[in-house]
Amino acid sequence: MDETVEDDISEIPQHVVVPNENGVVMVINHSKIHAPFSVLWATVLYCAEFICASVLSSMYHTSDDVIWMGLTITFILVPSVLTQLTLTFVHRDLGRDRPLVLFMHLLQMGPIIRCVEALVVYFKAGRKEEPYVTITRKMKLKNGKAYGSPMEWEIGHSERKLAVHRDAFKRTAVIQAFLGSTPQLTLQLYAAIQEKYILPARLALMIISLISITYGALVCSVLAIQIRYDEYKVSMKPGAYLCMVLWRGLEIATRVTSLVLFSTALTFWVIPVGLANLLFFFFQPWVEFWARRASLPENVEKNLSKLGTCVVLCLVTLLYACINVFCWSAVQLNLAEQELIEKQPRWSRLAVYYTLRFVENLALIVAWYFFKSDFYEYVCAPLLAVQLIVCYGLAVLFMLLFYQFCHPARKLFKHNVEDCLRCACCWRKEHTLVPQVPPTPDLTVLPGLHETDILEDLEAA
């Protein structure tokens, strides 16, 4: 279900009809429209990163650093082109007569014109009464539990248009973060270490890229919650956002730093490490798809053929793999489903991912420590290694705190973090105890009872 309004129903002045025979409360008035801050923020990040990368490329051209300049431009253009295609695809502009919008997309300025459109829709909304285009039904969540009867309310044209803009910019934020900002941050950090100095433009680009990646990971986490609990009206508290920002920021910064340090010590070995990660996460959904002997989902897009569907699925899988190389994607692909998302995430996958990722980061840091160059003689290498390990541990800690205390639907979990940790401790305790030898039964006592037990066991077998 598309995202509609992001405010709580209880805070909206509205005329409500009594519940019908099915217990559903119908909301007559339209909900208050929120400003498209997510669209504006994604546009600001896109423009800031594009400008900083362009200035840095110009500086590389002046200093004849052809390799750094070429890679920087590549990591600007590839996600930018994909962003324009995504916005055009979501808004279905190819079949409409909109030459100015398409021209802006050709100039790589599509997010700007889309942001202007969203702001125009927002400021024009509410001036006249609009007919509704759809009805949505949600249940309220209060303190993590379902509360009250299901509620239905009308979605007007302005709300629908803003929802489309928000959904489109969420997709572009993820694409920009993990296909552009992540390799850009890795490249600039590697260049700074190799050249042994940091340019102001390079530092600004690294900071903006890290913010963009953290925001993209945050969008992935929120989308996973909205998809999993689509029938509920989910509202996130500021503490939950803060916990997720710390979790995602520490996780991504530690991962990127570990890869860059490893690449400075063993330059050519980082290529098979990165490719192994990318190929594993790329083929994992396809292997599960073939193991289930499922067929391709229909109606992924009405105008696509089977070949077009395969191409779209490959691009989605590539984005999924790029996310998982650097952080937990929070969603699990199921190529047999029409929505392409597994709605029943498993705790075991989360635990396995972070365990293996911690081991891999530790191995990369240890390899860097033993094969580091002379440049790190001026750096306390043991302290840096310990800091990276502690930061990743803190990221996992903030993740556990989020799922245990800050998740908006934590009361709906069948098992929470505390239950999993208690089960793990009990399992470890049972296996560490010395097993006691059971006493030898006295077969002379109650022989009829033992014969009955034996006969029952035979019948059961």
Side-chain angles (χ1 to χ4, degrees):
M1 185 181 296
D2 293 333
E3 180 195 5
T4 53
V5 191
E6 302 195 7
D7 41 19
D8 196 339
I9 297 177
S10 61
E11 300 175 355
I12 305 169
Q14 52 197 343
H15 175 65
V16 181
V17 180
V18 295
N20 58 19
E21 57 182 5
N22 296 324
V24 179
V25 178
M26 182 65 189
V27 179
I28 299 300
N29 290 350
H30 295 302
S31 301
K32 179 183 177 181
I33 299 179
H34 276 207
F37 290 116
S38 60
V39 175
L40 185 61
W41 176 247
T43 305
V44 169
L45 285 178
Y46 172 83
C47 295
E49 189 170 0
F50 196 96
I51 293 172
C52 286
S54 301
V55 172
L56 187 60
S57 299
S58 176
M59 297 176 66
Y60 285 147
H61 177 72
T62 304
S63 59
D64 293 331
D65 293 327
V66 180
I67 297 178
W68 302 139
M69 181 188 69
L71 292 175
T72 303
I73 293 176
T74 301
F75 296 145
I76 298 173
L77 293 181
V78 171
S80 178
V81 171
L82 293 177
T83 296
Q84 314 307 318
L85 294 176
T86 302
L87 291 174
T88 305
F89 179 79
V90 172
H91 290 277
R92 305 176 187 275
D93 286 326
L94 294 180
R96 303 163 63 185
D97 187 16
R98 307 189 70 186
L100 175 61
V101 174
L102 294 178
F103 180 70
M104 293 291 287
H105 278 291
L106 290 177
L107 297 179
Q108 307 303 307
M109 298 175 65
I112 299 176
I113 191 65
R114 297 297 184 187
C115 181
V116 173
E117 287 182 353
L119 292 175
V120 170
V121 171
Y122 169 72
F123 287 115
K124 284 186 176 181
R127 294 185 178 180
K128 61 180 180 178
E129 186 176 354
E130 297 179 344
Y132 70 90
V133 294
T134 185
I135 295 178
T136 183
R137 177 185 294 183
K138 298 276 187 180
M139 288 187 65
K140 283 186 62 178
L141 279 177
K142 187 175 182 179
N143 296 325
K145 292 183 178 180
Y147 175 76
S149 302
M151 305 188 74
E152 291 183 347
W153 70 96
E154 301 171 352
I155 306 301
H157 283 283
S158 298
E159 296 170 285
R160 179 68 178 177
K161 291 178 181 178
L162 288 178
V164 173
H165 280 288
R166 290 191 183 99
D167 291 339
F169 273 87
K170 285 178 181 178
R171 292 177 173 88
T172 58
V174 176
I175 292 174
Q176 179 68 27
F178 294 99
L179 296 182
S181 301
T182 306
Q184 191 75 266
L185 176 61
T186 306
L187 170 68
Q188 302 306 328
L189 183 58
Y190 179 81
I193 294 176
Q194 291 295 96
E195 295 183 354
K196 301 179 178 58
Y197 65 91
I198 299 180
L199 296 170
R202 181 186 290 160
L203 179 61
L205 179 58
M206 291 168 59
I207 294 174
I208 295 172
S209 298
L210 181 59
I211 295 174
S212 175
I213 302 167
T214 305
Y215 177 70
L218 189 68
V219 169
C220 289
S221 299
V222 175
L223 283 178
I225 296 173
Q226 291 177 347
I227 293 172
R228 173 65 180 86
Y229 303 97
D230 184 56
E231 66 273 18
Y232 297 99
K233 187 67 178 178
V234 178
S235 58
M236 303 283 291
K237 296 182 179 180
Y241 282 113
L242 177 62
C243 201
M244 281 197 294
V245 168
L246 294 174
W247 158 30
R248 291 304 198 173
L250 289 172
E251 178 185 8
I252 293 166
T254 306
R255 176 63 176 170
V256 171
T257 305
S258 301
L259 286 172
V260 170
L261 292 179
F262 178 78
S263 64
T264 58
L266 301 169
T267 304
F268 298 103
W269 281 98
V270 74
I271 298 176
V273 171
L275 283 179
N277 276 271
L278 186 65
L279 293 178
F280 174 81
F281 289 110
F282 179 83
F283 286 108
Q284 176 222 335
W286 290 103
V287 170
E288 293 178 352
F289 173 78
W290 292 324
R292 295 171 182 171
R293 297 181 179 179
S295 57
L296 290 175
E298 299 180 356
N299 297 328
V300 173
E301 175 61 33
K302 296 181 180 179
N303 298 326
L304 291 179
S305 61
K306 286 189 175 181
L307 177 60
T309 302
C310 290
V311 173
V312 171
L313 293 180
C314 288
L315 292 176
V316 171
T317 312
L318 177 62
L319 179 60
Y320 172 78
C322 292
I323 296 173
N324 280 282
V325 168
F326 292 93
C327 68
W328 173 247
S329 62
V331 295
Q332 299 167 15
L333 287 185
N334 185 358
L335 300 180
E337 294 291 336
Q338 182 177 353
E339 296 180 354
L340 305 179
I341 300 297
E342 185 72 47
K343 286 196 171 184
Q344 296 293 335
R346 286 170 275 183
W347 289 99
S348 57
R349 286 197 174 185
L350 181 67
V352 169
Y353 176 87
Y354 275 100
T355 301
L356 295 180
R357 184 64 74 210
F358 178 80
V359 172
E360 183 187 6
N361 286 344
L362 182 61
L364 294 177
I365 294 171
V366 170
W368 162 77
Y369 180 77
F370 285 105
F371 295 97
K372 61 182 180 298
S373 61
D374 297 336
F375 169 70
Y376 297 100
E377 291 181 356
Y378 303 98
V379 178
C380 185
L383 179 60
L384 179 58
V386 172
Q387 286 177 342
L388 291 175
I389 297 172
V390 170
C391 285
Y392 197 81
L394 288 175
V396 176
L397 177 62
F398 281 116
M399 178 199 67
L400 297 178
L401 291 176
F402 169 75
Y403 281 108
Q404 179 65 30
F405 301 106
C406 301
H407 196 285
R410 59 189 181 280
K411 297 294 181 62
L412 301 178
F413 292 166
K414 293 182 179 179
H415 303 285
N416 56 18
V417 176
E418 184 181 359
D419 296 333
C420 296
L421 294 178
R422 187 183 295 115
C423 290
C425 294
C426 293
W427 182 86
R428 190 180 299 109
K429 184 177 180 181
E430 290 177 359
H431 284 73
T432 54
L433 292 177
V434 179
Q436 298 180 357
V437 179
T440 304
D442 188 359
L443 299 179
T444 61
V445 180
L446 299 176
L449 180 60
H450 288 286
E451 292 176 0
T452 304
D453 294 340
I454 295 173
L455 289 175
E456 292 178 353
D457 292 339
L458 290 174
E459 292 177 359

